[in-house]
């Protein structure tokens, strides 16, 4: 167990409190730590989510952390996509009209490779493909980016934790430098996060959600981060999370999502979050910088 005593915070303090911008600015002076900006599904306000175009867009903005979602095809290949079905972000209904509800797990990689994952977002992205995790990792590596990898709905894909780690190893991401500095694996499924920790205790992990403070010691045994929706937390909750040591003996971190405007970015930075996950990484990065939050010393 890696638990530090909680100092001045008790109870589940989830809920919204009023927090003005001047107060946020004052908080920047008190807590100058600048949160990491993470491009959610890539820079997904500017390019189709979870595509190579979306991480390249983040790269062009100078954003080095990208987030994605990993799932598995019918023939057992790992691909990057958010929804468990293909129809929102591809032309699958046009190509395979009789295959409703178009679940990823009902399609082979060969079939998915034929899909256009860009046109729904904009004509200029026509022909963008659903990336395999392998192709995606090649691009992340090429861009010298870092990855917050989400195992999406892992309960649908038994063994996906070990398979993902194996794929990451094949891509050269299981060496010390990558594991220590460039990779976090997260999921809404606590059992899946725990599995990753058991398989590779050196990997940094995150639990997506807003557990009650009383339950944090349980999560702290196998995770390094608690990553909640920004609408579900307040400053007291962030402080309460920080008061526990995570699986690697450092204070549990908070990466919050999905923050797409400057005012909210400054507000949550003022609460002391460690990372902000956003569709508009340029907006968030500039907001926290301009508000005076300083990059922590390495
Ligand atoms: O990384 C946080 C965020 O991705 C969780 O929600 O639905 O976008 O995967 P979702
Ligand atoms: Ca995600």
């Amino acid at each position: 167990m890696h638990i530090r005593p909680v100092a001045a915070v008790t109870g589940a303090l989830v809920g919204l409190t009023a927090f003005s911008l001047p107060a946020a600015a004052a908080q920047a002076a008190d807590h100058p730590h600048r949160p990491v900006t993470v491009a959610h599904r890539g820079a997904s306000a500017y390019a189709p989510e979870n595509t190579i175009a979306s991480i390249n867009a983040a790269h062009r903005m100078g954003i080095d952390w990208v987030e994605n979602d990993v799932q598995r095809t019918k023939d057992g290949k790992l691909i990057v996509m958010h929804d468990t079905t293909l129809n929102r972000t591809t032309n699958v209904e046009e190509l395979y009209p009789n295959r409703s509800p178009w679940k990823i797990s009902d399609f082979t990689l060969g079939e998915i490779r034929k899909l256009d994952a860009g046109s729904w977002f904009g004509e200029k992205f026509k022909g963008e493909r659903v990336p395999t995790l392998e192709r995606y990792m090649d691009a992340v590596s090429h861009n010298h980016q870092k990855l917050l990898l989400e195992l999406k709905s892992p309960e649908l894909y038994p063994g996906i934790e070990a398979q993902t780690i194996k794929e990451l190893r094949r891509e050269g991401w299981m060496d010390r430098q990558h594991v220590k500095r460039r990779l976090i694996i997260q999921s809404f499924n606590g059992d899946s996060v725990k599995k990753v920790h058991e398989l590779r205790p050196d990997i940094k992990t995150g639990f997506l959600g807003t557990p009650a403070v009383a339950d944090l010691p349980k999560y702290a045994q196998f995770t390094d981060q608690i990553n909640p929706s920004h609408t579900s937390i307040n400053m007291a909750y962030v402080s309460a999370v920080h008061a526990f040591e995570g699986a690697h003996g450092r204070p549990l971190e908070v990466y919050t999502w999905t923050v797409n405007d400057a005012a909210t970015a400054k507000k949550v930075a003022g609460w002391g979050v460690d990372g902000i996950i956003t569709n508009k990484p340029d907006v968030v990065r500039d907001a926290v910088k301009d508000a005076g939050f300083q990059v922590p010393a390495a």
Side-chain angles (χ1 to χ4, degrees), residues 8-9 12 51 115 120 164 188 261-262 277 298:
V9 185
T51 64
L115 302 175
W120 71 277
T164 300
F188 283 102
D261 67 277
I277 301 168

Side-chain angles (χ1 to χ4, degrees), residues 38 50 65-71 78-80 133 136-137 140 146-152 160-161 164-165 167-168 173-174 182-188 192-193 196 203-206 208 225 227:
V38 182
N50 278 326
W65 274 99
V66 294
E67 188 262 5
N68 73 0
D69 303 280
V70 174
Q71 299 189 63
L78 297 178
I79 62 164
V80 177
L133 180 60
Y136 185 93
M137 295 310 301
V140 174
K146 304 172 187 180
L147 179 61
L148 176 57
L149 183 155
E150 180 181 344
L151 296 170
K152 178 59 78 187
I160 196 168
E161 299 84 6
T164 300
I165 289 170
E167 183 74 34
L168 290 170
W173 276 63
M174 281 297 107
R182 294 177 63 180
L183 177 68
I184 304 167
I185 298 182
Q186 65 172 359
S187 184
F188 283 102
S192 187
V193 178
V196 169
I203 294 177
K204 188 169 180 177
T205 57
L208 281 160
Q225 300 184 333
N227 297 341

Side-chain angles (χ1 to χ4, degrees), residues 1-4 197 201-205 219-225 241-253:
M1 294 270 279
H2 303 278
I3 305 166
R4 288 194 304 161
H197 180 68
D202 53 338
I203 294 177
K204 188 169 180 177
T205 57
Y219 290 94
Q221 293 178 51
F222 58 83
T223 195
D224 302 284
Q225 300 184 333
V241 174
H242 284 161
F244 290 89
E245 281 183 359
H248 291 98
R250 288 185 287 276
L252 273 177
E253 295 179 337

Side-chain angles (χ1 to χ4, degrees), residues 3-245:
I3 305 166
R4 288 194 304 161
V6 179
V9 185
T10 55
L13 295 160
V14 183
L16 292 176
T17 52
F19 201 88
S20 67
L21 279 180
Q27 195 65 24
D30 292 345
H31 299 279
H33 174 88
R34 186 187 303 172
V36 170
T37 298
V38 182
H40 180 238
R41 311 179 197 171
S44 58
Y46 310 109
E49 65 184 55
N50 278 326
T51 64
I52 303 302
S54 71
I55 58 172
N56 286 343
H59 179 55
R60 284 194 297 275
M61 292 169 184
I63 300 296
D64 54 1
W65 274 99
V66 294
E67 188 262 5
N68 73 0
D69 303 280
V70 174
Q71 299 189 63
R72 190 161 72 201
T73 66
K74 184 179 182 182
D75 53 341
K77 308 291 194 248
L78 297 178
I79 62 164
V80 177
M81 179 167 284
H82 178 270
D83 297 6
T84 55
T85 51
L86 294 153
N87 50 310
R88 181 177 63 86
T89 56
T90 75
N91 61 343
V92 69
E93 294 188 35
E94 190 185 312
L95 261 61
Y96 304 100
N98 302 317
R99 302 273 296 274
S100 171
W102 301 286
K103 285 193 247 173
I104 290 173
S105 56
D106 288 341
F107 285 76
T108 64
L109 179 59
E111 290 170 330
I112 290 173
R113 277 193 206 281
K114 296 192 176 86
L115 302 175
D116 179 341
S119 291
W120 71 277
F121 190 86
E123 184 62 23
K124 83 182 234 205
F125 296 103
K126 184 175 179 182
E128 193 70 33
R129 297 297 164 197
V130 176
T132 59
L133 180 60
E134 180 183 4
R135 168 81 186 89
Y136 185 93
M137 295 310 301
D138 287 346
V140 174
S141 296
H142 181 264
N143 291 344
H144 302 289
Q145 287 170 309
K146 304 172 187 180
L147 179 61
L148 176 57
L149 183 155
E150 180 181 344
L151 296 170
K152 178 59 78 187
S153 305
E155 58 280 1
L156 299 178
Y157 312 109
I160 196 168
E161 299 84 6
Q163 186 180 2
T164 300
I165 289 170
K166 190 172 171 192
E167 183 74 34
L168 290 170
R169 186 180 303 113
R170 282 198 331 139
E171 289 295 313
W173 276 63
M174 281 297 107
D175 66 288
R176 193 162 184 275
Q177 279 311 307
H178 284 82
V179 169
K180 204 168 159 49
R181 303 196 181 280
R182 294 177 63 180
L183 177 68
I184 304 167
I185 298 182
Q186 65 172 359
S187 184
F188 283 102
N189 183 319
D191 290 338
S192 187
V193 178
K194 193 172 178 200
K195 183 77 189 165
V196 169
H197 180 68
E198 285 166 1
L199 289 168
R200 282 289 302 233
D202 53 338
I203 294 177
K204 188 169 180 177
T205 57
F207 174 71
L208 281 160
T210 317
V213 172
D215 291 333
L216 291 174
K218 185 178 74 182
Y219 290 94
Q221 293 178 51
F222 58 83
T223 195
D224 302 284
Q225 300 184 333
I226 299 294
N227 297 341
S229 164
H230 75 91
T231 60
S232 70
I233 59 172
N234 57 21
M235 184 187 283
Y237 186 76
V238 175
S239 299
V241 174
H242 284 161
F244 290 89
E245 281 183 359

